[in-house]
Amino acid sequence: MADASGYHQILDKLQAYKRKYYQNKLIKGGLLALAILCSSYLVVNSLEYTIRFGTLIRGILFFGFVALIIWVLYRWIIDPVWKLLTLKQQISDEEAARQIGRYFPAVNDKLLNTLQLHRLSAVDNALIQASIAQKTQDVSAVPFVEAINFNENRKYLKYLLFPLSAVVIILLAAPQLFTDSTPRLINFNKTYAPVAPFQFDILN
């Protein structure tokens, strides 16, 4: 019989790989979500501050932005967190094995073949059992989790840096772009009188 403990060790390492896989997706998703929301907030407020839309357009902008927030949070945050915590709807062991095999040339198809052969091991074929034992031994020393590198997410920082910097600079230099336009977008069904192009300055 194949070494059951060795095979279960491989399954545990695959599960550790999948946990890190979704942790990595969460880091990437957090950066992209912030980049998308900062950029969208900047664009929407700039348009409203410059053009001063009517109630209909402001309503479309407001609900469009809310819908974008919901989609971004679900796509990049909630979905990976759900799969990370509940272990439901995760990638299969076979898909994880393919990803690991692409990163570790030494593993190649051995890991995937081990999983596939184990399904056939119920027939208790001595040749299959021996093949599983050999392949298990070949891949057992490979650190599966090293196939995922959190540092690769640094490349997504550039997508966040510009909009976040722009928001901070505007808050410091011209905060009225947000303080004037954001309330109008939130109260989209309220009519605002246009700002007069002049003002009276009574001296006495």
Side-chain angles (χ1 to χ4, degrees), residues 175-186:
Q176 65 274 11
L177 190 147
F178 295 133
T179 57
D180 289 355
S181 57
T182 299
R184 292 201 300 268
L185 289 168
I186 295 175

Side-chain angles (χ1 to χ4, degrees), residues 3-21:
D3 185 356
S5 63
Y7 181 75
H8 286 300
Q9 182 183 13
I10 287 178
L11 293 182
D12 290 340
K13 291 171 67 175
L14 281 173
Q15 192 58 50
Y17 170 85
K18 288 192 280 186
R19 283 196 299 270
K20 190 173 182 181
Y21 172 81

